[in-house]
Amino acid sequence: MWVTADGHIRQELRADGRYDEARGSRRSAYTGRYTVTGSHLDYVDDTGFTATGDIRDGVLFHEHLVLHKEDQA
């Protein structure tokens, strides 16, 4: 589980290549699939929207978001 510092956005990257992102009280606000190449992530939302992310020094930079592993937030 990756989470923003304020806990508002929570992103679960599942082992099966699926993700589930909650925003505030809105569970599963975004769902889709992701692939990892090295430290780079490519996301494809179930609606077809695409996004990218990179993990650097244990931090996930996902478009404009900065997320930390939940136990490190």
Side-chain angles (χ1 to χ4, degrees), residues 10 26 36 39-40 59 66:
R10 302 172 57 82
R26 187 172 167 211
V36 179
S39 61
H40 180 80
V59 177
V66 177

Side-chain angles (χ1 to χ4, degrees), residues 27-38:
R27 299 182 69 183
S28 300
Y30 297 98
T31 59
R33 65 186 190 282
Y34 73 97
T35 57
V36 179
T37 306

Side-chain angles (χ1 to χ4, degrees), residues 2 39 54-61 66-69 72:
W2 295 84
S39 61
D54 291 286
I55 298 175
R56 295 189 302 271
D57 298 323
V59 177
L60 173 56
F61 296 89
V66 177
L67 301 106
H68 299 269
K69 287 212 172 187
Q72 298 173 354

